[in-house]
Amino acid sequence: MVDLEELRYLALSFPDTTEEEHHDRPAFRVGGKIFATLPDDEHINVLLDAEAAHIATVITPSGCQKLWWGERLAGITVRLADAELDMLAAALTAAWRRKAPSDLAKTIAPTG
């Protein structure tokens, strides 16, 4: 289980990350680009490429679902009560690296 305080600490630990509102919901951004959102106090949406999203849902089927925007697989929705900190850290790292400016993304090694 990961609580909101741990989640915020983790997400904001990435360089140049800010927490800002997006459609009245908290969103984590790097370089002005969103890499994760909090749709409510029990879930986090992590924006991943389709391959990473599919892998995450296979590895962690309980508490992790594919996040669809129309017909596009945009990431995963993780239920915080079922989340393991290591899995969530890996997903957030991948999402942050994907959205960060390339020079900044190189400062954190890929996970996996």
Side-chain angles (χ1 to χ4, degrees), residues 1-107:
M1 176 180 179
V2 177
D3 66 33
L4 282 174
E5 185 176 323
E6 291 173 309
L7 172 68
R8 280 194 163 92
Y9 181 83
L10 175 61
L12 292 169
S13 71
F14 296 104
D16 294 343
T17 294
T18 60
E19 181 178 345
E20 301 173 35
E21 292 295 312
H22 178 71
H23 298 286
D24 296 323
R25 298 178 183 165
F28 298 101
R29 299 172 186 253
V30 59
K33 296 181 181 179
I34 295 172
F35 67 93
T37 64
L38 294 171
D40 56 48
D41 288 347
E42 297 177 5
H43 299 88
I44 183 168
N45 293 331
V46 183
L47 305 180
L48 300 169
D49 64 35
E51 181 180 6
H54 177 73
I55 291 168
T57 58
V58 168
I59 292 172
T60 314
S62 65
C64 185
Q65 299 177 346
K66 292 178 180 174
L67 173 64
W68 293 94
W69 282 348
E71 295 184 16
R72 183 174 69 89
L73 181 55
I76 57 174
T77 299
V78 179
R79 193 173 113 145
L80 297 176
D82 296 330
E84 292 184 22
L85 190 57
D86 290 346
M87 182 282 293
L88 193 52
L92 285 170
T93 300
W96 179 89
R97 290 186 86 248
R98 185 170 171 249
K99 298 292 183 167
S102 60
D103 288 346
L104 185 59
K106 293 175 189 174
T107 65

